[in-house]
Amino acid sequence: MVVRKTSTFVLGFLFVVTLVVVGLMADQLKMNKETALNTETAGQKVEVNGKVAGVTHTPPSLDDVPEGPLGEAILRGYELTNDTSNVLRAEEATADDGEQRVNALSCTSCHAGAGLDENSSSLVGVSEVYPMYIPRSGQIVTLEERINGCMIRSMDGQKFAPDDEDMDAMIAYMTYISEGIPAGADLPWRNQNSLDDLPTPSVADGEQMYQQSCVACHAVDGSGTGSNTGPALWGEGSFNDGAGLARMTKMAGYIQNNMPMGAEKTLSDQEASDLAAFILSQERPEWKNHDKDWPNGDRPTDIMTKERRQQVQDGTIDWDEVLGKNKQ
């Protein structure tokens, strides 16, 4: 009798424990589901294990920036990003100082709409990407360092000082437009501008296409019509040959993904390659530190340096070498 009562008691106890465990599991599943639904509503998609699977491009409105110093910094950052050259040059003592400070471009010249255009090198989420490893630098860089990299390459100008309030403003702006995007999220709008298997270009065909389709915005001499309407593509007002767009694969990819405006993604690989070759064969400011780039190896072959531009003029350029086809 004692054994039977003990067994009954144990079985009853186990039954109660089982009910409790099942109840807890049900509550946890419900919480997981609610968390996923709430996160998706906020523009994110989260798997059960909590790993970010994707996000949507939904930056907050500039009408909603907070009041006070932070809001002022965000709006200043927007102004600097949208009209970089005009803003910075206007604040220098002389016109010559302004030209030394920054070239004729703006961040918007590459990152349309001050980085808010999803389809044109958007800056949304960039504050959650850095710090990150950059092969060209051979080290992990912060967002501040990446911005300064653009300032001395794409903008062919001067770095922001470490204590410059304008750097703080740009960081505040990029952080604001990245609101709601978690660190490590997959951003499908990044890294779109590259054509890694380019056909052998024809500079002559690229020039003909440029004269037919590009001069209205970028001018016959490539000097452009404005940093946000038709950026300078070569010459003293444009990016130097240490910028990312001075590479054939990057320039061709950018052209195909973003040009012509209103008919993006309509150019063939051959047309994009031809245009890139023509544009990058024109004279532009020279980057003086090519020998310091890619210190850990794997230097790309498609950088259009001063030597390569001269080879185009001489008719001696080996496009197979430039495009890495000799390695295949």
Side-chain angles (χ1 to χ4, degrees):
M1 294 293 293
V2 174
V3 173
R4 182 176 300 174
K5 288 181 180 180
T6 302
S7 298
T8 302
F9 175 80
V10 171
L11 289 173
F13 176 78
L14 290 175
F15 179 74
V16 171
V17 170
T18 301
L19 288 177
V20 171
V21 170
V22 170
L24 290 174
M25 291 177 63
D27 287 341
Q28 185 61 51
L29 288 172
K30 182 179 179 181
M31 289 174 62
N32 288 344
K33 183 176 181 180
E34 288 176 351
T35 300
L37 289 174
N38 291 336
T39 306
E40 287 179 1
T41 302
Q44 303 172 14
K45 183 179 179 182
V46 179
E47 297 175 349
V48 174
N49 64 7
K51 186 176 181 180
V52 177
V55 296
T56 59
H57 191 276
T58 53
S61 170
L62 292 176
D63 294 333
D64 297 327
V65 299
E67 295 182 358
L70 177 58
E72 293 171 4
I74 291 169
L75 293 177
R76 171 67 175 180
Y78 167 78
E79 184 182 23
L80 286 164
T81 305
N82 188 55
D83 203 13
T84 320
S85 178
N86 288 330
V87 171
L88 292 179
R89 284 184 172 186
E91 296 173 353
E92 293 295 325
T94 68
D96 287 343
D97 289 342
E99 291 178 3
Q100 290 295 317
R101 180 73 182 85
V102 65
N103 63 14
L105 303 180
S106 69
C107 299
T108 290
S109 298
C110 293
H111 306 277
L116 295 173
D117 187 331
E118 181 176 2
N119 299 312
S120 185
S121 301
S122 173
L123 295 174
V124 172
V126 71
S127 67
E128 301 305 319
V129 172
Y130 289 87
M132 70 176 295
Y133 178 76
I134 303 293
R136 186 174 64 185
S137 304
Q139 58 187 359
I140 295 173
V141 303
T142 63
L143 181 54
E144 290 86 347
E145 290 170 326
R146 186 66 183 88
I147 290 172
N148 269 337
C150 285
M151 290 301 299
I152 60 177
R153 294 173 186 264
S154 297
M155 307 301 290
D156 192 43
Q158 300 168 4
K159 291 181 179 181
F160 290 109
D163 60 348
D164 196 320
E165 291 184 356
D166 280 343
M167 173 64 85
D168 294 338
M170 294 191 77
I171 296 296
Y173 170 67
M174 293 182 192
T175 301
Y176 176 73
I177 64 174
S178 302
E179 188 176 285
I181 296 179
D186 178 37
L187 307 180
W189 52 86
R190 293 191 73 240
N191 302 319
Q192 295 181 354
N193 300 319
S194 187
L195 273 177
D196 296 328
D197 187 17
L198 284 178
T200 302
S202 165
V203 175
D205 289 348
E207 180 176 14
Q208 183 178 13
M209 186 180 303
Y210 181 87
Q211 298 299 334
Q212 290 175 345
S213 305
C214 308
V215 295
C217 293
H218 299 286
V220 173
D221 62 355
S223 60
T225 59
S227 62
N228 295 352
T229 57
L233 296 180
W234 65 84
E236 290 303 313
S238 190
F239 56 89
N240 64 44
D241 61 18
L245 282 180
R247 293 179 54 188
M248 278 290 296
T249 52
K250 303 303 181 185
M251 174 59 82
Y254 188 89
I255 289 171
Q256 190 178 67
N257 194 49
N258 298 281
M259 297 289 133
M261 292 186 67
E264 299 85 351
K265 298 181 175 67
T266 60
L267 296 178
S268 67
D269 289 2
Q270 184 66 60
E271 290 170 326
S273 183
D274 294 346
L275 270 172
F278 170 69
I279 292 169
L280 294 181
S281 67
Q282 309 305 306
E283 286 305 310
R284 68 180 60 261
E286 185 179 1
W287 174 245
K288 301 298 185 182
N289 296 309
H290 281 294
D291 60 321
K292 295 184 173 125
D293 289 343
W294 283 278
N296 298 328
D298 293 326
R299 181 185 301 272
T301 61
D302 63 330
I303 307 168
M304 291 298 289
T305 60
K306 183 177 181 179
E307 179 184 9
R308 291 267 175 75
R309 296 193 295 274
Q310 187 59 53
Q311 290 173 351
V312 172
Q313 302 304 319
D314 296 342
T316 60
I317 192 163
D318 183 348
W319 285 113
D320 285 347
E321 178 185 5
V322 173
L323 301 179
K325 296 182 182 296
N326 292 339
K327 296 180 180 181
Q328 298 178 0

